[in-house]
Amino acid sequence: MATSVTKVPPPGPLRSRDPMKDASVPRGGSSKPAFSRDHPAALCPSKDIRNNVTTLMSLENCTVIEGHLKILLMFRTTPEDFRGISFPRLRVVTDYLLLFRVYGLESLADLFPNLTVIRGNNLFFNYALVLFEMLQLKELGLHSLANITRENPDLCYLATLDWSKILDTVEDNYITDNKNERECGDVCPGTAQGQTVCSQNTINGHFRGRCWTQNHCQK
């Protein structure tokens, strides 16, 4: 059986940086801390989360994961199991993020709403972000996208992204065998109300708003 692959290369040359600094400064560049004294940054080691959603709770206090984050092999989970589960404090993963066969997960937007940096200090087969056999995933919703691997027949909101804002280089950016763009009906925030909320530009001859989901513009 043929395997369809979506490849986006990891970030450019690695630089020695302070993960705590990335955690405390939001993507918009403000120096306002992303957490208060009552909730200081929490450094966590690599996480291997599997089997059921209750194991996700080990991420509850993590602001920076110094290592990798793997979420995998949840065969009995449904979309309802992920309702209300969110880890807004998590901002940095220094190595890679991997999701494999997590059934019922349709979006990463609510799960990791503030994840801004996937460093890629150590990669998984040369990739910083891997989504493999996530056949129910419909949208990404992450802000520091590095890579998507394998076909996702229901995955949308790929054509609404300006990849040049995410990657250091887009020459080898291949996005194939996901859901047909004409079947997605991707709608950016405000579009349904006839308003222009998200920034717009022209890519591949298409002038449109840039967004991650119907609720989140691309910054």
Side-chain angles (χ1 to χ4, degrees):
M1 182 178 68
T3 300
S4 302
V5 178
T6 301
K7 295 184 178 179
V8 180
L14 299 178
R15 294 178 293 273
S16 177
R17 296 173 62 184
D18 182 358
M20 298 299 290
K21 181 178 180 181
D22 288 322
S24 62
V25 180
R27 188 180 179 87
S30 171
S31 60
K32 182 179 179 180
F35 42 82
S36 67
R37 291 182 179 179
D38 295 332
H39 299 283
L43 295 177
C44 296
S46 293
K47 296 287 186 178
D48 187 318
I49 296 170
R50 58 181 69 203
N51 299 330
N52 59 71
V53 295
T54 59
T55 57
L56 285 168
M57 293 303 108
S58 66
L59 297 173
E60 187 172 14
N61 295 317
C62 295
T63 303
V64 177
I65 293 180
E66 290 192 313
H68 61 259
L69 172 56
K70 295 193 288 188
I71 305 174
L72 64 161
L73 302 177
M74 297 187 184
F75 298 115
R76 298 183 179 181
T77 47
T78 66
E80 188 61 31
D81 292 323
F82 294 96
R83 300 276 191 268
I85 296 180
S86 183
F87 303 98
R89 298 188 63 201
L90 182 60
R91 293 182 175 274
V92 179
V93 176
T94 63
D95 286 349
Y96 60 85
L97 170 61
L98 179 147
L99 289 94
F100 172 57
R101 292 186 179 178
V102 181
Y103 290 9
L105 184 60
E106 298 178 335
S107 174
L108 303 179
D110 292 335
L111 200 61
F112 304 122
N114 296 318
L115 180 61
T116 58
V117 176
I118 301 175
R119 182 65 42 70
N121 289 345
N122 295 290
L123 301 173
F124 182 85
F125 289 98
N126 203 40
Y127 296 112
L129 175 63
V130 179
L131 308 177
F132 187 62
E133 293 189 4
M134 297 288 294
L135 300 183
Q136 292 172 294
L137 193 67
K138 296 181 179 179
E139 61 186 29
L140 300 177
L142 295 176
H143 292 278
S144 296
L145 193 62
N147 172 260
I148 308 168
T149 302
R150 186 167 166 79
E151 176 179 359
N152 287 275
D154 290 324
L155 190 60
C156 293
Y157 285 95
L158 296 176
T160 60
L161 292 173
D162 183 349
W163 295 90
S164 67
K165 293 185 177 181
I166 304 169
L167 304 170
D168 290 339
T169 175
V170 294
E171 283 81 0
D172 296 319
N173 181 359
Y174 301 103
I175 302 175
T176 61
D177 296 315
N178 295 290
K179 191 168 184 177
N180 190 299
E181 179 184 351
R182 289 173 292 183
E183 298 176 2
C184 282
D186 299 337
V187 176
C188 287
T191 302
Q193 293 76 34
Q195 302 175 356
T196 301
V197 177
C198 302
S199 61
Q200 298 177 299
N201 62 3
T202 300
I203 296 179
N204 296 327
H206 298 284
F207 182 78
R208 65 190 307 171
R210 300 298 163 187
C211 61
W212 289 92
T213 71
Q214 62 180 348
N215 297 317
H216 297 87
C217 294
Q218 183 181 13
K219 296 180 180 179

